[in-house]
Amino acid sequence: MAYLVESLRNIILENQELIGKRSYYPRMMKVERISGKATIITGIRRCGKTVYENLYAGKLIENGVDRRNICIIDFSDDRLTEMRTTEPDSIIEAYYGLFPEKSSEKVYYFFDEIQYLNNWELFINRLQNTRNCEINITGSSAKLLVREIATEFGGRGLSWELFPFSFREFLETKEDKDTFNDVRTMTADTGRLCYKYFKEYEHKGGFPESLAIIEDDTRIRYLQNLAETVIFRDVIRRYNITNPDGGYRLMQLLLGEMSGLMTFTKQKKRLDGEQYRLSVEMIKDITGYLEEAYLIFTVEIFSLNVAARKTNPKKVYCVDHSVALVMSGSLTLDKGKILENIVFMHLRRSTDRIFYAKTSGGYEIDFAVLSRGQRLSENSVPELIQVSADIDNADTLNREVRALSEGMAEYGTKKSILITENTEDRIETEAGVINVLPAWKYLLIEDNLLFDSTDAPWATLKASIGTIPDDFMKDREQPGWDEVNEREDM
């Protein structure tokens, strides 16, 4: 025990010295920390949860908090393996042994990878009840992210989801990031540059560490390792899956379905054909575990009928399109699926009430979206969003417009969005207005600007942001344009 306390003291002092001395890119997620409740940052491995909390610790010091009032401990540290089986009282002994004068002051605790701490829920509850403190928690365990927060720790903490970089956050990694602050005042040259960065984002994805990797082959290895860690550590090992090869292959198949429809029966048939024996129930379970670990998301059809939502195919999305691409070669050239997944993750950052829809005429609408917490009822009016990489073909454009027009008429909304690779327009139909936007521009527009109750604000917005000039698109058609820009995107 004496050795453990000494290790904890060294770790606490080391981490205090590091606060504010490392440079990190800012994150856009806003967290409200509530007195008496632990703040829990959840999300997939390597999405930046620890960095997010380090940024907050640095902000505390900037605002005058003594760094000695900050206690940061990462329980995955090899010096703390004993804490996986012993009681956590040594943490209190170590900290207040170093700083006894802090017993009467507010202390800011940051506990990373807390799932490795024995009886962590009871310890956090006692710490909150007996000390003047603020507690911040992160962890990568699927069990921590869902089950323990909802059951054993329910009511004593508030969780916030962090994801890989959005496109807006991706732009923050660029030296000319301030150029893109307001999409409404962008010049044509700025739009051209922004589109170039969007192509880079499509290529590299949003995992923070992967963006610092120069070679594509190394980035692919990094992303593959991340997906393998999730399936083998957070799913197979944690839930004692008896057919690990089948579980791994199911993960690959699900990632290969990115932005597409799937059924559990279809997955079983494919696995059976490859001699992987998994029951439909096990396939459902593993899919759920992968969702808990934030690797994938499944989306139901927009319907008041619960049975219809459960029996219709589900759409599958990945937490970052880059992972699906490296785990499934079949998606490599499918720009439409990549674009749709990027839009899904943009929506998922603000709400989990995302569905796909089918009109009475049989047309599919990619997204029918409600605000976070909004109940699905007969009075629900969803935001309708369609994604199509290329609408130059007249048949494609007519199909997308027909789907949104029917959807607007059936769901009682007067506006919808058609997101494209790089086309902007405004289409008026009898049912309402379809705003056609390039994806890179849509991802930078605030929702309250896009979905206003009147047409005037949108008309003003469209006029101010302008469009990509014709000469830019002509440049793109010149021989060698794609080759040059692909090299620049690497």
Side-chain angles (χ1 to χ4, degrees), residues 81-132:
T81 53
E82 188 179 338
M83 302 210 69
R84 302 182 185 188
T85 55
T86 61
E87 293 304 308
D89 292 333
S90 52
I91 297 170
I92 302 299
E93 181 181 347
Y95 178 77
Y96 290 105
L98 285 170
F99 309 109
E101 71 279 8
K102 301 300 179 183
S103 296
S104 59
E105 299 179 18
K106 185 174 183 177
V107 177
Y108 298 82
Y109 291 99
F110 293 82
F111 297 136
D112 195 15
E113 302 293 357
I114 200 171
Q115 71 273 8
Y116 292 123
L117 179 62
N118 187 41
N119 290 327
W120 70 268
E121 312 94 324
L122 299 175
F123 171 70
I124 297 299
N125 188 44
R126 176 157 52 88
L127 192 59
Q128 288 185 136
N129 291 335
T130 60
R131 299 284 180 174
N132 180 14

Side-chain angles (χ1 to χ4, degrees), residues 186-202:
M186 276 189 185
T187 65
D189 287 341
T190 302
R192 185 181 315 187
L193 180 61
C194 195
Y195 177 65
K196 174 177 176 271
Y197 284 146
F198 178 72
K199 298 304 293 180
E200 182 183 352
Y201 182 67
E202 279 187 319

Side-chain angles (χ1 to χ4, degrees), residues 397-444:
L397 177 60
N398 290 336
R399 183 180 65 248
E400 307 296 10
V401 169
R402 182 67 179 272
L404 289 172
S405 297
E406 286 192 8
M408 287 189 289
E410 292 177 18
Y411 296 116
T413 180
K414 293 298 183 182
K415 290 186 177 180
S416 61
I417 306 174
L418 174 56
I419 299 172
T420 69
E421 177 77 8
N422 198 28
T423 302
E424 182 175 10
D425 203 350
R426 174 187 171 96
I427 301 173
E428 295 189 11
T429 72
E430 291 184 3
V433 175
I434 300 174
N435 297 316
V436 184
L437 280 176
W440 61 268
K441 197 171 287 188
Y442 166 76
L443 297 174
L444 300 179

Side-chain angles (χ1 to χ4, degrees), residues 330-429:
S330 62
L331 290 168
T332 303
L333 299 178
D334 198 326
K335 293 182 179 180
K337 290 183 179 294
I338 296 170
L339 199 62
E340 186 176 331
N341 198 88
I342 290 173
V343 172
F344 170 81
M345 285 308 305
H346 175 75
L347 296 168
R348 185 61 180 78
R349 288 178 174 90
S350 59
T351 181
D352 56 358
R353 308 296 288 157
I354 305 171
F355 306 85
Y356 74 93
K358 275 276 184 78
T359 70
S360 57
Y363 290 94
E364 181 180 312
I365 300 174
D366 293 324
F367 301 113
V369 186
L370 302 177
S371 60
R372 185 180 293 276
Q374 185 178 352
R375 291 184 59 190
L376 181 58
S377 70
E378 56 188 26
N379 296 321
S380 297
V381 180
E383 295 177 356
L384 302 179
I385 301 172
Q386 194 78 317
V387 181
S388 182
D390 187 0
I391 58 172
D392 287 343
N393 181 280
D395 290 339
T396 301
L397 177 60
N398 290 336
R399 183 180 65 248
E400 307 296 10
V401 169
R402 182 67 179 272
L404 289 172
S405 297
E406 286 192 8
M408 287 189 289
E410 292 177 18
Y411 296 116
T413 180
K414 293 298 183 182
K415 290 186 177 180
S416 61
I417 306 174
L418 174 56
I419 299 172
T420 69
E421 177 77 8
N422 198 28
T423 302
E424 182 175 10
D425 203 350
R426 174 187 171 96
I427 301 173
E428 295 189 11
T429 72

